[in-house]
Amino acid sequence: MYQFDYQRPETLDEAVALLKEDCKLLAGGQTLLPTMKQRLAQPEALVDLGAIDSLRGVCPDDDKLAIGAMTTHAEVASKADIPALACLAAGIGDPQVRNRGTIGGSVANNDPAADYPAALLGLNAQVTTNKRVINADDFFVDLFETALEENEIIINVTFPRPQAAAYVKFDNPASRYAIVGVFVAKTGSGVRVAVTGAGPCVFRHKGLETALNNNFSAQAIEGVSVSAAGLNSDIHASADYRANLIKVLTKRAVAQIGG
Amino acid sequence: MGTQTGIGASVKRKEDKRFIIGKGRYLDDISRPGQTYGYFIRSPHAHAKITSLDSTAALKAPGVVAVLTGPDMQADGIGPLICGWGITSKDGTPHKAPAHPALAIGRVRYVGHQVALVVAETLQQARDAAELVEIEYEELDHVIEVGDALAAGAPQIHDDVPGNLSFDWELGDRGKTDAAIGSAHHVTRMKLRNNRLIPNAMEPRAALGDYDSGTDEITLYTTSQNPHVHRLVLSAFNGVAPEHKLRVIAPDVGGGFGSKIFIYSEETVCAWATKKLNRPVKWTAERSESFLSDAHGRDHETFAEMAFDANGKILGLKVSTKANVGCYLSTFASAVPTYLYGTLLSGQYTIPAIYCEVQAGFTNTAPVDAYRGAGRPEATYVVERMIEIGAREMGIDPAEIRKRNFIAPDAYPYETPVIMTYDSGNYALAMDKALEAIDYNGFVSRKAQSQAKGKLRGIGFSAFIEACGIAPSAAVGSLGAGVGLWESAQVRFNPTGSVTVFTGSHSHGQGHETTFAQIISDQLGVPIDQVEISHGDTGKVPFGMGTYGSRSLAVGGSAIMKAIDKIVEKSKKIAAHTLEASVEDIEHAGGIFKVAGTDKQMTMAEIAFSAYVPHNYPADVEPGMDETAFYDPLNFTFPAGTHIAEVEIDPDTGTTEILDWVAVDDFGNVINPMIVEGQVHGGIAQGIGQALLENCVYDKESGQLLTGSYMDYCMPRADDLPTFRVQTINTPCTTNPLGVKGCGEAGAISAPAALMNAITNALGKEIDMPATPEKVWRAAQGL
Ligand SMILES: Cc1cc2nc3c(=O)[nH]c(=O)nc-3n(C[C@H](O)[C@H](O)[C@H](O)COP(=O)(O)OP(=O)(O)OC[C@H]3O[C@@H](n4cnc5c(N)ncnc54)[C@H](O)[C@@H]3O)c2cc1C
């Protein structure tokens, strides 16, 4: 690690005021600190969001669920009353990671193999920042790239309640991130199928969505062709194999929901 | 004796308390006054010339003590690292082992190659300064795979090794084997890949050199499996210090699996640098350095032919292997794919003709050396995959074909065509017990049940053998070893009757402190909490050869038995004198010395006390009770057994679930069944890791290590593993006094073949290790 300054503000306003160039927000540190230890990141200063109570907690409502950016994966796993979301959080990393890592950090980082982006996109969530509200469809831009501007702070993520939803993940055997993860949700505006791990950035699969909107059943997926074009290929899985997994996991998610 | 702490008792491990309460003392826990920290600058390139190295700016950075390079070491007369086992090629020439300077001189040959050491007051300062060392490289073409390295036109890694060929070795009778293959009813032919592994001991390698200018002595604390061998090599070959001025201490060491046998660059540099700088110098590997620079394991490309008669009797086995040895020959690298490999190709079978040839090739990768099993997993993989595939091709049941070929229990000693003489075994018994335990007869219906769920079920066997307890010095000497492979033990009674045992073997997880104490407790009746086992310090322990090759009990334990014999002999004289009887009349059992036919007796504790307080003492007996013995084994030992794995495959995703695992191992006599079971579990876990999960991958294009962290290198975790069902049978070894065979490597040797046989049985198709989900999926889908 290189030398850096460290600040731990107690309010959001203080945090915003402290942000300057070459400054990084620190949430659970599960992604940021390893990169700093490997000297791949060299922020001048860290602004730790850990003391800002208003960023933490799970707030259920009749038609939605708001989760503070600093809420850990473990808290979401035990408190979120959207079962597919709780189950997704419970499957992230290991107990240490789940008790440090946060939803805000995960979403801001937008790792192509991370789990949360699939939930946000699948459930049509909204990301509230200190500046604006961003729809999930607009939030995840590209590999490790989001709509967040420099020093924009995520305050919470709001998930509309689905009629039914399921997340099925195929673990990378080594890292246990997703080689492919598929989040299927039946929502007021139709079926949404969000795929993480397979491409450079989480995406919705329109072909699968159309098929499931016509007929919400595992058989309906049989006829859909899932193209390997543009999917990731690495030492763990080829694009072809990932394309296959998208289909298989979608079927399994649909079956879980009872389609 | 059968007490609760004697031979055969599952005594809880004495050493575990300190590990569990955080009082283990590993290398990084040790610090010396005035200590500095070393940080190694490593090559970012697979193959390059170093055109310039400028440390001016680094030397000015805060806290920097020195920047040391290969030329500095050379100027101080420090010799290169060595390979300690000479192999002779088919044409009679010795193997080629190019000079391996501890810090690179002029050229780097793999990513991670040690280029310079930055020494500073803090580690942070050393790391910061390392970025200021300006090194210019001129990149050269590189080669990663051994097959490519040995092909015509490959980049030359060493100027003095044409074609990158270190040696081209053979064993066995080529003519006879070719004839057997030529006239056989059936020949099974297969290409087999034994995947490259990275060892991953829990504690990374580390070294702390501490020079005392008053005594001119260097103390090197290092993570070693064999501290005396370290001292010998660093003295005799590297010239770091004369042997009597070099003390090597391997404290608690957190796992080795072979990777800490070798004398590496880093400890050599720390031992030299401490004297040069007159400051203690400490280095602890980061995990990423471990991935890059610990000696890797396996990495064979093999073509094998197994010839059968119509009944499935094996007539001959011909094996041609290309072994990747990395960019230099590491300490024992040459022995692994030769005398630890070719010599085991007879397996548990009577095979009339065997021929094996091995070409060892240099590549731009980390050195490859012994890793748990070392050569023997590769041999078992060849034999057990070939016989299984042969059985499939000929339509013979895989258990049946093995039974038709087993060496019979009354055929010992059995001489194989590949220079081994097996002393004992009962292979059919292990197989029968394993078949019963797994309910082999029920497999067909279990397979049908899986099929009904859309799953593929498979069962696979591995009837492995290994040569352990290495080894008779005369035998290994004749095969090229530069060292003898005996072991030492010193049994010291303290005046109050407690015992300290000094052993030349070294525990880095095996449980010596318990197993060896059980031997003393059993033989001499000393309560186990009165026995201390001391190891790992050349300043305390008689010269010993260390721990690897499942040798500690068979060789080190036997040395303890020899020392015990001397203790008993001396004690009898003291008892005879004290009890006024003749020595011939003294009977000893479990620490009680009795005059035959009377109730006159002395305990071991009483005798020990009288040896130190010799007021009434035989004139011809020396005072004290402290005996040292050196034991050189008569033969290798030959643990063997049968493992059966049962798996279920999801053809849609290619995921393999291991449903059941039965291991029936013959380790000869067992001292501590609990420790043995633990060793088997760990070994199987590593074997499963190799077959299913682990794979070291270098990018062919860039030469970079792609599996350089746990994000990409997949170690087995508890939830990858089934519940193991482990049994032992106990055919005593006939060549050592304990009748033991060794158990440390068996699991890692046996498991890969069993698992791959099960997976390919389920698939009805052959695939190579590791059986990743994608590979299995492709095979299942016929892609
Ligand atoms: C061993 C291991 C296994 C893992 N396995 C998985 C897995 O299976 N699935 C998975 O999805 N993830 C996995 N992760 C990642 C984990 O979920 C991380 O917690 C997560 O990616 C980052 O969250 P964090 O709170 O730790 O963020 P940090 O590391 O602190 O920050 C990450 C980035 O987000 C920015 N940031 C943080 N909070 C905010 C905010 N409120 N507003 C704006 N920007 C912000 C930071 O500045 C930084 O750039 C794993 C991590 C580890 C170490």
Side-chain angles (χ1 to χ4, degrees), chain B residues 239-263:
Chain B
V240 165
E243 232 177 329
H244 66 294
K245 291 292 184 190
L246 179 60
R247 177 175 176 191
V248 177
I249 299 177
D252 285 331
V253 173
F257 311 109
S259 71
K260 292 170 181 166
I261 298 172
F262 323 121
I263 292 83

Side-chain angles (χ1 to χ4, degrees), chain B residues 226-354:
Chain B
N226 35 223
H228 278 99
V229 179
H230 259 84
R231 190 185 67 171
L232 173 64
V233 171
L234 288 169
S235 249
F237 297 94
N238 308 115
V240 165
E243 232 177 329
H244 66 294
K245 291 292 184 190
L246 179 60
R247 177 175 176 191
V248 177
I249 299 177
D252 285 331
V253 173
F257 311 109
S259 71
K260 292 170 181 166
I261 298 172
F262 323 121
I263 292 83
Y264 287 90
S265 293
E266 289 87 355
E267 59 261 30
T268 308
V269 173
C270 288
W272 159 69
T274 182
K275 182 167 180 182
K276 188 172 183 68
L277 305 174
N278 197 11
R279 297 275 301 272
V281 179
K282 181 178 187 173
W283 164 79
T284 304
E286 293 182 6
R287 184 58 66 181
S288 49
E289 292 183 278
S290 305
F291 276 103
L292 286 172
S293 69
D294 286 5
H296 294 174
R298 322 276 193 257
D299 206 347
H300 284 194
E301 293 173 13
T302 292
F303 178 69
E305 297 168 275
M306 192 177 259
F308 298 91
D309 73 10
N311 292 320
K313 176 78 197 68
I314 308 170
L315 302 174
L317 173 63
K318 188 173 179 186
V319 175
S320 174
T321 293
K322 293 187 173 79
N324 190 340
V325 292
C327 62
Y328 292 102
L329 274 192
S330 167
T331 318
F332 289 109
S334 53
V336 176
T338 51
Y339 289 109
L340 295 176
Y341 170 65
T343 51
L344 274 307
L345 288 173
S346 195
Q348 300 186 355
Y349 312 116
T350 52
I351 305 180
I354 299 176

Side-chain angles (χ1 to χ4, degrees), chain B residues 547-566:
Chain B
T547 287
Y548 39 82
S550 305
R551 73 191 299 276
S552 297
L553 183 59
V555 190
S558 295
I560 294 174
M561 288 296 281
K562 269 191 81 176
I564 289 172
D565 286 347
K566 292 185 184 180

Side-chain angles (χ1 to χ4, degrees), chain A residues 74-89:
Chain A
E75 284 172 78
V76 175
S78 63
K79 291 186 192 142
D81 58 1
I82 299 175
L85 185 61
C87 157
L88 172 146

Side-chain angles (χ1 to χ4, degrees), chain A residues 24-34 49 55 69-70 73 91-94 97 100-109 111 113-117 148 152-155 169 175-178, chain B residues 711:
Chain A
K24 275 253 169 217
L25 294 169
L26 176 67
Q30 296 302 292
T31 296
L32 184 54
L33 296 183
L49 298 176
L55 293 182
M70 286 299 289
H73 308 331
I92 296 175
D94 49 48
V97 169
R100 292 296 307 167
T102 66
I103 188 169
S106 175
V107 169
N109 192 48
D111 187 306
D115 296 303
Y116 270 128
L148 289 175
E152 190 172 0
I153 304 180
I154 299 176
I155 295 172
K169 172 182 183 179
S175 73
R176 303 266 170 113
Y177 275 71
Chain B
M711 293 297 281

Side-chain angles (χ1 to χ4, degrees), chain B residues 401-744:
Chain B
I401 198 170
R402 287 179 168 86
K403 288 186 180 180
R404 288 182 197 169
N405 285 285
F406 279 152
I407 297 162
D410 58 3
Y412 299 96
Y414 177 82
E415 209 169 311
T416 73
V418 278
I419 67 169
M420 285 293 181
T421 304
Y422 300 167
D423 67 296
S424 60
N426 195 341
Y427 308 140
L429 178 64
M431 171 64 82
D432 285 337
K433 285 188 174 260
L435 289 172
E436 191 191 321
I438 201 113
D439 180 20
Y440 188 49
N441 293 330
F443 175 71
V444 178
S445 75
R446 294 196 295 276
K447 190 174 172 74
Q449 282 164 20
S450 295
Q451 213 158 9
K453 294 184 294 176
K455 300 279 176 71
L456 309 171
R457 200 173 184 114
I459 193 162
F461 295 78
S462 172
F464 76 100
I465 193 160
E466 47 176 334
C468 292
I470 55 175
S473 295
V476 295
S478 74
L479 304 178
V483 288
L485 286 170
W486 42 268
E487 197 47 83
S488 68
Q490 184 180 0
V491 175
R492 175 186 295 166
F493 270 86
N494 301 308
T496 52
S498 64
V499 178
T500 308
V501 177
F502 300 89
T503 172
S505 63
H506 181 272
S507 178
H508 30 282
Q510 294 86 347
H512 293 9
E513 290 172 42
T514 307
T515 303
F516 289 174
Q518 283 179 251
I519 297 174
I520 297 290
S521 183
D522 187 280
Q523 298 290 304
L524 297 175
V526 183
I528 199 155
D529 59 0
Q530 298 285 304
V531 186
E532 200 66 28
I533 307 296
S534 178
H535 62 94
D537 182 347
T538 64
K540 286 188 189 165
V541 174
F543 198 108
M545 296 310 298
T547 287
Y548 39 82
S550 305
R551 73 191 299 276
S552 297
L553 183 59
V555 190
S558 295
I560 294 174
M561 288 296 281
K562 269 191 81 176
I564 289 172
D565 286 347
K566 292 185 184 180
I567 295 274
V568 168
E569 199 186 331
K570 180 168 183 173
S571 297
K572 279 184 174 172
K573 287 184 191 158
I574 298 170
H577 174 81
T578 315
L579 300 173
E580 295 173 336
S582 79
V583 174
E584 293 71 44
D585 289 340
I586 302 293
E587 288 172 346
H588 168 247
I592 306 291
F593 294 81
K594 224 180 179 156
V595 182
T598 74
D599 56 2
K600 289 204 288 183
Q601 66 173 52
M602 281 181 90
T603 66
M604 189 64 232
E606 288 165 347
I607 294 171
F609 185 76
S610 82
Y612 287 99
V613 189
H615 294 161
N616 168 19
Y617 205 70
D620 58 345
V621 178
E622 281 176 38
M625 190 60 79
D626 189 347
E627 296 291 344
T628 301
F630 291 82
Y631 173 79
D632 203 332
L634 298 170
N635 191 359
F636 293 90
T637 64
F638 296 95
T642 291
H643 288 209
I644 307 179
E646 196 164 317
V647 302
E648 192 175 67
I649 288 170
D650 176 347
D652 295 335
T653 60
T655 310
T656 299
E657 190 188 346
I658 304 171
L659 300 174
D660 201 358
W661 197 288
V662 166
V664 181
D665 296 310
D666 189 348
F667 296 136
N669 294 332
V670 168
I671 309 289
N672 184 320
M674 177 198 72
I675 289 181
V676 167
E677 188 173 347
Q679 288 288 312
V680 174
H681 283 207
I684 298 173
Q686 269 169 311
I688 289 174
Q690 167 160 33
L692 215 51
L693 306 162
E694 297 184 48
N695 200 29
C696 169
V697 184
Y698 283 92
D699 182 32
K700 275 182 146 191
E701 288 296 307
S702 65
Q704 298 295 323
L705 179 64
L706 295 182
T707 50
S709 80
Y710 293 124
M711 293 297 281
D712 293 301
Y713 189 87
C714 188
M715 290 299 285
R717 281 172 254 204
D719 65 356
D720 294 315
L721 305 172
T723 298
F724 304 122
R725 298 196 285 138
V726 175
Q727 301 175 34
T728 59
I729 60 171
N730 313 98
T731 320
C733 172
T734 62
T735 59
N736 66 50
L738 285 163
V740 298
K741 298 186 175 180
C743 68

Side-chain angles (χ1 to χ4, degrees), chain B residues 40-44 50 52-53 67-71 102-105 107-108 110 112-117 133 135 137:
Chain B
F40 282 90
I41 299 178
R42 294 173 183 276
S43 168
I50 303 172
S52 71
L53 189 153
V67 177
L68 302 171
T69 66
L103 292 171
I105 297 179
R107 192 143 144 202
V108 288
Y110 71 109
H113 197 154
Q114 304 81 356
V115 175
L117 178 74
V133 177
I135 307 173
Y137 296 97

